[in-house]
């Protein structure tokens, strides 16, 4: 794999997964009710990688599609993070507030800051925003890594055949 081909692979991945994925695809690609948003996204993603690697073999197209669609359809990045005990979006959405110690002080909910001092609602909300943002970055990194590893492995498999 040449540096130029690898750059095309990375740019194709980023173009297909970020620049060409609309809200309908992003929010519905892993919903059980419909396969169409995920299928559409995987087709557009495949076209972007083919175009930017300038490699139009049908076997390569099949590798790209087959390495992308299942990861998005079944949220395999989230499942991987859950398997290794990492930060998952599900855990954050369901339990992200539970590790923040709080008590009622009059009518206000108060939390402890890292230094142990009382902090108001602003600290609590800022902490949740920071924690949620970091969790989203961890999920995106896991998802991107899985996509790229599968394509890289598929490329090497094609080369060996």
């Amino acid at each position: 794999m040449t540096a130029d081909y690898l750059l095309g692979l990375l740019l194709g991945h980023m173009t297909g997964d970020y620049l060409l994925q609309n809200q309908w695809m992003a929010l519905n690609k892993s919903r059980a009710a419909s396969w169409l948003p995920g299928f559409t996204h995987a087709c557009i993603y495949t076209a972007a990688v083919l175009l930017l690697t300038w490699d139009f073999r049908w076997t390569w197209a099949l590798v790209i599609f087959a390495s992308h669609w299942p990861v998005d359809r079944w949220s395999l990045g989230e499942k991987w993070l859950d398997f290794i005990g990492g930060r998952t979006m599900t855990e954050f959405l369901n339990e992200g507030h539970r590790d923040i110690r709080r008590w009622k002080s009059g009518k206000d909910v108060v939390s402890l800051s890292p230094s142990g001092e009382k902090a108001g609602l602003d600290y609590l909300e800022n902490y949740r925003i920071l924690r949620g943002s970091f969790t989203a970055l961890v999920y995106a990194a896991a998802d991107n890594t899985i996509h790229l590893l599968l394509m890289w492995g598929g490329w090497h498999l094609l080369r060996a055949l």
Side-chain angles (χ1 to χ4, degrees):
M1 186 176 287
T2 66
D4 189 51
Y5 195 90
L6 181 59
L7 181 60
L9 183 71
L10 289 170
L11 290 173
H13 167 71
M14 298 197 62
T15 300
D17 232 12
Y18 297 104
L19 296 180
L20 298 176
Q21 182 175 196
N22 66 25
Q23 187 175 15
W24 171 72
M25 290 181 242
L27 296 179
N28 295 296
K29 63 187 176 188
S30 61
R31 293 193 183 204
S34 177
W35 56 268
L36 186 59
F39 181 82
T40 304
H41 166 61
C43 287
I44 292 170
Y45 176 91
T46 299
V49 174
L50 291 173
L51 184 64
L52 287 161
T53 58
W54 208 247
D55 184 348
F56 300 104
R57 294 173 292 159
W58 72 269
T59 52
W60 179 226
L62 186 61
V63 163
I64 297 164
F65 183 88
S67 70
H68 195 82
W69 188 71
V71 174
D72 283 357
R73 177 71 177 145
W74 291 289
S75 300
L76 298 184
E78 178 83 358
K79 287 179 177 34
W80 174 256
L81 289 171
D82 186 46
F83 175 72
I84 66 167
R87 295 172 176 256
T88 67
M89 293 303 292
T90 303
E91 181 269 334
F92 170 73
L93 293 172
N94 292 333
E95 302 174 21
H97 63 284
R98 291 193 179 163
D99 62 350
I100 304 170
R101 294 188 292 175
R102 302 182 294 176
W103 70 89
K104 291 203 179 207
S105 171
K107 292 183 179 181
D108 295 331
V109 175
V110 180
S111 67
L112 287 179
S113 69
S115 64
E117 300 170 3
K118 286 184 181 181
L121 290 173
D122 286 344
Y123 173 77
L124 180 64
E125 186 57 26
N126 288 340
Y127 177 77
R128 280 187 55 78
I129 290 168
L130 178 63
R131 186 156 180 234
S133 300
F134 188 73
T135 300
L137 286 173
V138 169
Y139 173 80
D143 180 71
N144 284 311
T145 302
I146 291 168
H147 284 308
L148 292 169
L149 279 172
L150 289 174
M151 271 198 301
W152 178 80
W155 186 85
H156 280 284
L157 181 66
L158 280 180
R159 219 176 84 188
L161 295 176

